[in-house]
Every structure is written in C-alpha cells, then in structure tokens.
Amino acid sequence: MGKITGFKEYERKSPQKELVPERLKHSKEFVKPFTDEELNKEAARCMDCGIPFCQSGCPLGNVIPDFNDAVYKGKFEEAYDILSSTNNFPEFTGRICPAPCESACVLGINRSPVSIESIEKHIAEIAYARGFAKARPVLFPTGKTIAIVGSGPAGLAAAAQLSKAGHQVTVFERDDKPGGLLRYGIPDFKLDKWVIDRKLKIMEEEGVVFKCNTEVGIDVSLKELKQYDAVVLAGGSTIPRDLPNKGREAKGIHFAMDFLKQQNKRVGESPILNEEILATGKNVIVIGGGDTGSDCVGTSNRQKAKSVTQFELMFQPPANRTEAMPWPTYPMLLKTTSSHEEGCERYWSINTKEFIADENGNLKGLKVVDLEWEKDRHGKPVKFTEVEGSERELPCELVLLAMGFLSPQHSGLLDQLGLEYDQRGNVKAQEGVYSTSVDKVFVAGDMRRGQSLVVWAISEGRECARKVDEFLMGVSELESKNAIPVL
C-alpha cells in the first residue's frame, strides 16, 4: 500500500484536454498527460480496501491496486509488468475503454473513483519511453502453426498470446492494414494510429506474420486454411442494424461505420474506393446514443458540419446512481463525451418515422415523434407510446445510423466452413472452450459473444488462446484471468 491516507487527502484528477476550438482543427489525440505530481497523487488515491472490486469490474481481471501502488512508489517497470501480465494492450484500453473498473472502485461508494484508465495509459506510455515495452524472444518454439482470421482486438490478443506460447502465428486481414475496429472504427482523435503501429511492430519482431488485403475464403482457400494446426476466427460483429423506414432509399443515409472508416482512411492517407461520405456544410443527425454515435458527432464537427444532432430512442438516463443501480454494478448513467462537449444537440425519447427526400432523391429531412416511456418499479423501460401532437419535421442532409450490430457476416467464410450459429446469429462455441462445431476451429470476440467492448474482445482473445494452446499441447502455461498472475 502506498499513501494510506491518500484517498482522503486528494480529489480525483482527470487529464486536461486541448481547448475545443483548437482540437476541432485536427484529428489527433488531444488529451494531455498528467504531470509527475498529478500521476503520483492519483495513484495515491487507491485505497487499501481489502477486497478490490475494481478487479472484478475489469473484464481482464487487471491487478489494479498492485500497479497503482507501484506507480505511487515510482516503480514503473514493475507497474508495467503487473499491467501487461493481464492486458496485452494497455496503450489501447488506457485510451478507449469505458472503464467498468472505475464503476466498481470502492472509493466510488461516496466519492469520485480513482482515474484507473488514465493511470493505465500513463504506465504504458512510460514503458515505451523507457524501453520496458519491447519484443520478447520466443525461447521454445513448438513448431505448431495457427491461422487467425481478423486483426481486431480479439485477433491481436489471441495472436500475441499464442506467439508467446511458442506457436507460429499468421493473422489474415481483409483490409489494407491490421487493427480491425481499432484502426477503422475508432477515430484518430481517440486513438492515434501510430499507437497501433508501434505495438504491431513489436508483435512482428516476436514472429507474428500479418497478411493484409487477404480475405479468407477468397484469397485463401479453405483447403489452405485447414493446413494450419488450429484456426481462430476473430472477424467481429459486422452486420449493422438498419432502420428500414419509409424513404430509406434517399441519398444521404449511411451506416456509422462506413462514415468513420472513410474518415480514418482519409486521415491515414489510404485510398477511399467508394463514394465519399462527408458532413461538411450539412445538418447531420446521428441515430443512436452510444459510443459509435458519439464518434460520429466528433467526426462531423471536425468535418465542419452545419449542425450536429444525436437521437436516442430511450429516455435520458440519470446523472447519478439510483436504487436500481447499486454499487458496484455497472450503472447506466448519462454520459457526456468529449465529442458532445464540442457541440451537439441531444434528443432523448425520440423516434424517426420517415426519411424525406427532395425531387432528386437527396435526403432533406426527417419526420420524428417524441415518446413517453412506461417504466417498472426499478426505473427500467417497459414500453413507449407516442406523444400526441409532437410529430414534426427536422431539416437534415446526412443521417448516420449508429444503432449497433446484429451478427458477424455469414456469407463467405463462415457459411463455407459450415459452422453452427446461436439464436442471435453469432458463431456457436462450446462454453468456456471457444471451440466451434468444426474440428480445430475456434472463435473469439464479438463474432462469438456479439457486439461488446474492446476490453471484452481482448479478454476473449486471451482466453481463447489459452484453450487453443491446451488443444495443441495438452496443457497451457498462458495466464488465465481467473488466476492470480505470477510476476
């Protein structure tokens, strides 16, 4: 334990951000680092709480009090060893994780929780700056070969772990660069792509092979795929939820991920092959109140949209915990992101009834209606009714659909393999084993569990890697999140 009374002496501190007018001029990260004193004080706030609920709140089981203690004492190499023993990519999660660990922080019962996510990011950046983050040579190659389909967070985590176990890993990616959702789904202002490239370089030095512009089932046959000793499917959940209302065929209605991917390619100076989607000079309405919708808001503002509005079908959540959201459960609270701070009008309990086009088929507006929700005694939604007389039209030239994803893409590789699917259309896997209905084929991440968080994808990739290692070798020495790491 570091400073025993630190949680009493210091208030929560979050890193400063670049001012809105300045950060809207570029697409780079704008969150400034802590000073050494600020980092030390924030780590000192971690309590000697006896039962660290933060660890159970973290899908990776990060040993949070231990690395906070090491940071407080200035032992950054030790802090990085502790953190990286459970998390392959703290440089990613320290930037983009919604931090369920902080919701479970014991200090959060009656005060602001520790800024765990920010501390995690600082540990990673200090590790790179001081040379702690580097390639680790494989001491005992097994001779086993593994194909991983998809280079998003689940695929990368599985690749890193299986390479660590001594296997020869090849990652297939149908896009032009590795990273999946990390590269082409999350804006650069939240995750600069040099952060991904820096980690990929280390993985390549450790022996992981990346083959991009390669779609398995087309560029690589199933016969070639089955020559590997094991296959891990980590292609994510990629079929977006649509809104097939009247007027859906109007020009100017796009899925959020198509919009975000184009912007990432634009910033990364990669070619854009389809018709460009731009918010410049347009009234933009983002349908969907989650993080993807928020990313569309920030991107639209950087493209100098005329106005940006975000719709959410549900009612506005409370700002603080209610009786229905007791600590340490993850609370569904009102979330105001940095993108909302940059300019956005938010509508709650609103439903889109019709898309309105002009005589040339271009979107010019939306017909909407307000909703009134009936709730149960715990404040959870039961059903809604339309508010009489609230129907109206709003001007809009660009709609971005950010309502989540339904399932992985079945056509192509998955159907060719003859895999079984669950009731939601995800690839069915044996519980706790990650093996599919096809021999030596495993699945991890959103492709197995459905749309979820990046931190859950990393956890899935790590756990799946352990099961693949057990399948190939009989036993595995790879870490499990259910075990205390040995440092």
Side-chain angles (χ1 to χ4, degrees):
M1 181 64 189
K3 190 174 180 61
I4 296 175
T5 57
F7 70 96
K8 293 182 177 181
E9 296 178 30
Y10 308 127
E11 295 298 323
R12 177 184 169 103
K13 176 79 174 180
S14 297
Q16 292 186 340
K17 303 169 188 170
E18 193 175 339
L19 295 176
V20 169
E22 294 303 314
R23 70 194 197 215
L24 286 179
K25 296 177 182 177
H26 61 79
S27 293
K28 299 178 181 179
E29 291 183 20
F30 52 81
V31 178
K32 300 178 181 180
F34 278 138
T35 64
D36 292 346
E37 182 182 3
E38 288 170 340
L39 179 60
N40 180 267
K41 286 183 177 180
E42 193 58 40
R45 296 183 69 238
C46 187
M47 304 167 64
D48 187 10
C49 56
I51 300 177
F53 284 87
C54 55
Q55 289 182 210
S56 60
C58 173
L60 289 164
N62 285 342
V63 192
I64 296 164
D66 289 29
F67 70 62
N68 280 337
D69 182 50
V71 169
Y72 173 73
K73 294 174 179 175
K75 298 178 179 180
F76 290 105
E77 185 168 11
E78 179 183 327
Y80 182 70
D81 287 342
I82 295 168
L83 177 55
S84 60
S85 70
T86 56
N87 184 358
N88 300 87
F89 311 114
E91 59 271 80
F92 303 160
T93 55
R95 288 169 162 84
I96 60 175
C97 184
C101 56
E102 294 185 17
S103 297
C105 175
V106 174
L107 186 56
I109 294 175
N110 57 7
R111 300 185 69 172
S112 297
V114 177
S115 296
I116 300 169
E117 182 184 18
S118 296
I119 294 173
E120 187 173 311
K121 175 184 174 182
H122 281 74
I123 292 171
E125 292 309 308
I126 291 169
Y128 276 99
R130 300 188 184 182
F132 307 148
K134 57 186 177 182
R136 311 287 178 177
V138 175
L139 300 178
F140 303 105
T142 65
K144 302 290 185 180
T145 60
I146 299 170
I148 295 180
V149 183
S151 67
L156 291 180
Q161 290 296 94
L162 289 166
S163 175
K164 178 181 178 180
H167 308 306
Q168 178 56 58
V169 179
T170 302
V171 180
F172 295 99
E173 171 55 58
R174 63 183 176 183
D175 252 315
D176 59 337
K177 295 177 184 177
L181 172 76
L182 297 167
R183 185 178 297 276
Y184 288 132
I186 296 173
D188 291 68
F189 58 78
K190 287 175 64 177
L191 178 64
D192 260 324
K193 301 311 175 256
W194 60 263
V195 177
I196 302 173
D197 294 332
R198 179 179 63 180
K199 183 62 178 182
L200 293 175
K201 184 174 183 294
I202 290 177
M203 292 179 66
E204 288 176 329
E205 291 172 356
E206 292 176 335
V208 177
V209 176
F210 292 95
K211 293 189 176 182
C212 296
N213 294 310
T214 305
E215 186 161 359
V216 179
I218 298 177
D219 303 303
V220 176
S221 68
L222 293 188
K223 183 179 179 181
E224 292 174 273
L225 189 68
K226 290 178 179 179
Q227 291 176 354
Y228 289 86
D229 294 306
V231 176
V232 176
L233 304 176
S237 183
T238 56
I239 303 300
R241 181 175 281 106
D242 204 351
L243 188 60
N245 288 0
K246 183 180 178 181
R248 174 64 178 83
E249 70 283 356
K251 300 173 187 175
I253 305 170
H254 302 276
F255 291 114
M257 204 52 65
D258 294 336
F259 174 68
L260 295 173
K261 183 175 181 178
Q262 274 200 10
Q263 179 66 0
N264 282 339
K265 282 182 173 286
R266 192 176 291 113
V267 173
E269 299 181 347
S270 292
I272 297 173
L273 304 179
N274 301 320
E275 179 185 355
E276 285 200 302
I277 307 169
L278 288 169
T280 309
K282 298 175 182 176
N283 294 296
V284 179
I285 293 180
V286 180
I287 301 180
D291 287 337
T292 299
S294 168
D295 292 343
C296 289
V297 170
T299 301
S300 296
N301 278 321
R302 280 162 180 75
Q303 291 184 2
K304 295 180 170 44
K306 183 177 180 180
S307 69
V308 183
T309 304
Q310 187 174 21
F311 284 2
E312 173 54 62
L313 187 74
M314 299 297 294
F315 51 83
Q316 181 173 331
N320 299 299
R321 288 183 184 270
T322 65
E323 290 183 0
M325 295 182 279
W327 176 90
T329 59
Y330 188 75
M332 301 304 294
L333 301 178
L334 177 63
K335 184 177 181 181
T336 301
T337 69
S338 60
S339 292
H340 295 135
E341 296 168 1
E342 294 162 0
C344 173
E345 188 170 2
R346 303 171 77 180
Y347 284 80
W348 305 91
S349 300
I350 189 168
N351 190 24
T352 303
K353 301 196 71 173
E354 182 181 341
F355 301 106
I356 304 169
D358 63 17
E359 61 276 7
N360 296 315
N362 297 311
L363 183 70
K364 70 172 186 179
L366 267 64
K367 184 179 289 186
V368 300
V369 65
D370 292 329
L371 305 176
E372 186 172 340
W373 281 92
E374 180 183 326
K375 307 174 188 177
D376 64 15
R377 62 190 182 89
H378 299 296
K380 295 182 179 180
V382 176
K383 63 179 180 179
F384 65 78
T385 54
E386 294 184 358
V387 176
E388 188 176 349
S390 66
E391 188 171 290
R392 60 199 183 279
E393 292 184 11
L394 297 177
C396 174
E397 296 80 46
L398 176 62
V399 161
L400 299 171
L401 303 176
M403 302 178 296
F405 296 85
L406 298 173
S407 71
Q409 177 183 319
H410 293 177
S411 62
L413 174 62
L414 301 188
D415 281 347
Q416 289 176 31
L417 283 169
L419 294 163
E420 288 186 31
Y421 303 111
D422 65 18
Q423 292 180 339
R424 296 183 297 161
N426 300 316
V427 177
K428 189 174 182 180
Q430 187 176 344
E431 189 65 33
V433 182
Y434 297 86
S435 58
T436 69
S437 56
V438 177
D439 184 45
K440 74 178 185 180
V441 177
F442 296 76
V443 62
D446 290 2
M447 189 172 268
R448 185 194 77 88
R449 65 178 282 125
Q451 176 191 348
S452 191
L453 304 175
V454 166
V455 68
W456 265 115
I458 296 172
S459 175
E460 286 262 318
R462 287 174 61 90
E463 293 297 304
C464 179
R466 181 177 172 84
K467 296 304 177 182
V468 172
D469 192 33
E470 288 178 356
F471 168 76
L472 294 174
M473 309 303 293
V475 294
S476 179
E477 294 184 0
L478 292 174
E479 302 90 351
S480 169
K481 71 176 181 180
N482 296 319
I484 298 174
V486 178
L487 304 177

